[in-house]
Amino acid sequence: MDTTSLRQDRAARFRTGFIAGLAAGAAASGVMLLLNVVFGSISLPEAFGSELTALMPAAMFDFLHQLIGGDAKHYLFYGILVGQCLVFALSGGLYNLVMERARAMFGLPATEQVEPGQEQAGSSRVLVPALHMYDGLLLASALWLLAGLVLLPLTGAGIFGAQLSAGPIDGLLSLGVVGLVFGLLFVLVQNQLTQGTQSGSETRPEAEASRREARRTLLKRGVLVVGAGLLGVAGWHFITDGLSAPVLSVTRLVKQYKNKIVPPPVPNYGEITPAPYLSPEVTPNDQYYVVSKNLFSDPSVDSNNWRLTVSGEVSQPFTLTYKQLLALPMQKQYESMMCVSNEVGGEYMSNALWEGVRLADLLQSAGVKPGATKVVFRAVDDYSDSIHLTKALEPTTLLAVHMNGATLPGGHGFPARMLVPGIYGMKHCKWITQIEVINYDYQGYWQQRGWSDAAPVRLTARIDTPLTGTAVRAGKVTFIAGVAFSGNRGISEVDVSTDGGQNWQRATLKKPLSGLTWVLWEFPWQVPAKAGSYNVAVRAIDLEGNVQDPNVAPPAPDGSSGYHSIAMTVL
Ligand SMILES: Nc1nc2c(c(=O)[nH]1)N[C@H]1C(S)=C(S)[C@@H](COP(=O)(O)O)O[C@H]1N2
Ligand SMILES: [Mo]
């Protein structure tokens, strides 16, 4: 046999294995996700996504977040999933090559099989070996060991995911099942591929040419679709960024503005006119923003099996069932939350009436030992974060079980979540299972990825209505309205500028539901006679007299700053 046909043989073997591996890999990945959703089993894409975000500098994460928005984590997940399918495919292709070598080395007879469309009249060239079930088992075992002993430890999840809450037994079993599904399907699909088309009528060169042609068009189309998608996203962001460019000049103009006013302004509370798009003061549960690190699925916890332990630097560690927790004295409070990755003017900010147990009460029952400095929260999804003991003992730091009068919804952390007013949402640990008092420094999930540990909410204000780009008639009154939020320092004043930050006028504030919530504000704008485009901006002052920071900063690592502004047209 000449070297060209040898090379062609090997290419054909690899190709068939690759295709069979891809098909089997897609199915096996599906099984992996199913096990993850149903049993909370290990999902390799989650482990890799988590590791990727850990390696990614916060600024890069931020950039991706801005480029593809809140869907970033889904794209990351699907990207990794596709990568996983390709690894499966590659392992299929390589298996065929390696096995061929092994067969040749040990002088084993190869079974006569031909690649689809490759058969030639009168030729019995062996191209692709027929596979046996033990081939599937062998490949499955190899991948199983690779995932458990190399890949998972690489992501920091430990051998077979020993460090994850699902545990190593789950890792051994679930990865075993996924491996078996892959191995057996690989054998079936490859044999199907090599057997199904024995009666090809095309002659070899023609078939080869048309296949090559088909592959080329497929590749071209793929490149086109991906390229067009990327261009579209980039273009869209260029356009929307272009619209908000005046923000820059606003901030330059007001840079000299004092950043603390003493004494702070007295709030001018009044009536707020309901306007379309203005946020409801209390966000309904199904509209409350949702953020989690979990790329694919959030935990769904069975409250019968759920336990909460309070442990660490305490004299009497204890464990509570859900029932026991519900029986403890509860406190209700309105509190707004904002995600640290919220852009100025962004959507990751909401308000609810929460009910829960004071963390201070739990810690008192446990008896905090002298020398303790921090409290760590750990959750079902291997998330963790910590707060300082002084923060933990504040009377508004709650372990919440109810949200707007309803049982805490799954997406918001059922059965219980932390509420830590004044600091960003990331410290509000959902699906919590452990409260550990410690006497050393601890950096949580997002802190290990470069985000702020103290994480105080940065004063911000958002224009909800009208929507940017709205056109209004000269001479009319238009209600400009929105929300302002400072964490737990209240709001004393909100100012609106309709001339790019040169002149500011005070907005009316709605008296807030508590000192921990956002404040609704409204400014009735007497639309000027002069037609043209107007830049409308907003800024806030908290009850301590701190003025909102006009300097534009991205969310990473301390939370975004700058003034929100919209474009309006006067007709
Ligand atoms: N267990 C767990 N808790 C978590 C997170 C998470 O990924 N896992 N995300 C945090 C982040 S970044 C935010 S902003 C809030 C969001 O809470 P929400 O979805 O109820 O609005 O939850 C926090 N608590
Ligand atoms: Mo967040």
Side-chain angles (χ1 to χ4, degrees), residues 289-293 337 379 381 383 412 417 425 428 430-431:
Y289 89 85
V290 178
V291 167
S292 84
K293 70 162 181 62
M337 269 169 62
D381 57 345
Y383 185 82
H412 296 290
R417 67 141 352 131
H428 295 52
K430 304 193 268 191
W431 312 290

Side-chain angles (χ1 to χ4, degrees), residues 11-25 82 85-96 182 186 189-190 193:
R13 255 180 230 122
F14 181 81
R15 194 156 55 233
T16 311
F18 190 88
I19 294 169
L22 192 61
V82 168
C85 291
L86 289 178
V87 169
F88 273 126
L90 211 63
S91 77
L94 289 177
Y95 184 81
N96 282 353
F182 172 74
F186 172 68
V189 175
Q190 172 151 322
L193 279 175

Side-chain angles (χ1 to χ4, degrees), residues 104 201 272 317 555:
S201 57
I272 298 280

Side-chain angles (χ1 to χ4, degrees), residues 81-291:
L81 195 62
V82 168
Q84 172 170 307
C85 291
L86 289 178
V87 169
F88 273 126
L90 211 63
S91 77
L94 289 177
Y95 184 81
N96 282 353
L97 294 186
V98 170
M99 277 326 275
E100 185 53 29
R101 276 272 161 82
R103 283 205 174 91
M105 241 160 73
F106 298 115
L108 295 173
T111 328
E112 310 251 320
Q113 285 282 336
V114 277
E115 201 206 5
Q118 290 276 3
E119 64 283 337
Q120 222 174 0
S123 147
S124 58
R125 298 197 313 114
V126 177
L127 285 169
V128 180
L131 295 176
H132 300 278
M133 279 308 160
Y134 66 72
D135 286 295
L137 290 180
L138 200 63
L139 183 53
S141 314
L143 289 176
W144 182 66
L145 293 175
L146 179 76
L149 298 181
V150 181
L151 298 181
L152 276 172
L154 269 182
T155 69
I159 289 176
F160 281 101
Q163 306 297 320
L164 302 176
S165 63
I169 304 292
D170 174 279
L172 284 167
L173 287 178
S174 64
L175 290 179
V177 169
V178 171
L180 277 181
V181 168
F182 172 74
L184 300 181
L185 275 179
F186 172 68
V187 170
L188 289 177
V189 175
Q190 172 151 322
N191 286 349
Q192 195 65 39
L193 279 175
T194 51
Q195 282 162 10
T197 48
Q198 292 285 357
S199 54
S201 57
E202 283 175 298
T203 59
R204 185 175 167 169
E206 280 167 4
E208 180 62 26
S210 75
R211 232 192 339 274
R212 238 183 239 151
E213 187 52 39
R215 227 176 292 136
R216 216 172 289 141
T217 25
L218 198 71
L219 193 71
K220 262 192 217 152
R221 271 187 211 152
V223 169
L224 265 176
V225 168
V226 172
L230 286 178
L231 270 179
V233 171
W236 170 251
H237 282 271
F238 182 75
I239 293 166
T240 48
D241 281 355
L243 276 179
S244 58
V247 175
L248 281 173
S249 54
V250 176
T251 60
R252 237 176 272 126
L253 281 167
V254 293
K255 230 171 207 163
Q256 305 92 326
Y257 197 84
K258 272 196 295 182
N259 62 10
K260 182 132 189 178
I261 292 173
V262 193
V266 178
N268 60 335
Y269 294 133
E271 291 285 313
I272 298 280
T273 320
Y277 308 113
L278 176 60
S279 302
E281 188 168 21
V282 178
T283 317
N285 286 355
D286 58 355
Q287 285 169 35
Y288 202 97
Y289 89 85
V290 178
V291 167

